[in-house]
Amino acid sequence: MQDLERFVAGFRSFQKDYFGPENSQFERLKQGQSPKTMIIGCSDSRVDPAILTNCAPGDIFTVRNVANLVPPYEEDGGRHGVSAALEFAVCYLEVEHIIVLGHSQCGGINALMAGNCGCKGDGFISSWMSIAAPAREKVLAELPGKDTKLQQRAAEQAAILVSLENLRSFPWINQRVIDGTLSLHGWYFELNAGELSEYRQCSGLFQKID
């Protein structure tokens, strides 16, 4: 109950800050949204994209899931939540940037590397994390026998690249990238150091954003 009471108090503070008699921050947003950036982040409670980027309501269109993954483009009639969000952000909101935001100490990637995804065997988590299987295979091939923490960090970053590649499998995303109206970015947040890195295609490395 303490958490719920704190959340209600937090909402009242939000309401006062954004909907007070002398505050018009939500006046424009009442008419609709027009964010220029979409962030695909992890469900991890420590890594909230809006807090990390110090954004206000309306600044970013956000999707969060286990391990910040993007599935490949599929037309199998399934219920594709991430794909639906991508379609809305790109085709209707016409965002100009998509950021895949990964982070250190990711539980999903840890389970993937340990080969222990989910409490139900071949359940939802296992199926979902199979999207990042190429990242695991790449790390185990390139860093065999290395420290597990090193392997996990490498897998967390490799999974971001898998998601970036999967984004290009959506025809309406790939075409916009070719046209220059949409840019794709891979970011990695290091929890211990409080540092943010960006994938640089020219070097093939994640480099700290100063």
Side-chain angles (χ1 to χ4, degrees), residues 1 19 34 37 51 69 71 73 91 99 105 113 122 143 161 175 182 192-193 198 204 207:
M1 287 299 294
F19 289 89
S34 56
T37 298
I51 293 176
L69 297 177
Y73 178 77
C91 299
I99 300 169
Q105 301 179 31
M113 295 304 292
D122 295 327
L143 300 172
L161 302 187
Q175 188 59 54
L182 177 63
N192 291 330
E198 179 180 23
Q207 297 177 309

Side-chain angles (χ1 to χ4, degrees), residues 83-181:
S83 302
L86 284 168
E87 182 178 20
F88 183 71
V90 174
C91 299
Y92 295 90
L93 296 178
E94 298 184 336
V95 296
E96 298 172 0
H97 302 276
I98 299 177
I99 300 169
V100 179
L101 174 62
H103 67 97
S104 63
Q105 301 179 31
C106 179
I109 297 298
N110 179 272
L112 175 73
M113 295 304 292
N116 182 29
C117 291
C119 60
K120 298 293 185 181
D122 295 327
F124 295 116
I125 298 176
S126 179
S127 176
W128 178 254
M129 289 308 302
S130 67
I131 297 170
R136 181 179 189 272
E137 295 166 4
K138 174 181 172 64
V139 169
L140 293 180
E142 295 182 355
L143 300 172
K146 295 295 183 180
D147 180 77
T148 55
K149 290 184 178 179
L150 177 63
Q151 288 183 336
Q152 168 145 348
R153 179 185 176 88
E156 288 162 349
Q157 296 183 348
I160 294 173
L161 302 187
V162 170
S163 286
L164 289 175
E165 182 178 349
N166 286 346
L167 282 171
R168 294 292 298 263
S169 71
F170 290 79
W172 24 268
I173 289 179
N174 190 51
Q175 188 59 54
R176 284 168 171 78
V177 171
I178 293 172
D179 294 342
T181 58

Side-chain angles (χ1 to χ4, degrees), residues 1-2 7 9 13 17 25 30 37 39 49 58 67 85 96 117 123 132 151 160 163 173 177 183 196-199:
M1 287 299 294
Q2 287 183 343
F7 297 157
S13 178
D17 290 343
Q25 292 195 51
K30 291 176 184 177
T37 298
I39 296 183
E96 298 172 0
C117 291
Q151 288 183 336
I160 294 173
S163 286
I173 289 179
V177 171
S183 299
L196 186 65
S197 299
E198 179 180 23
Y199 178 71

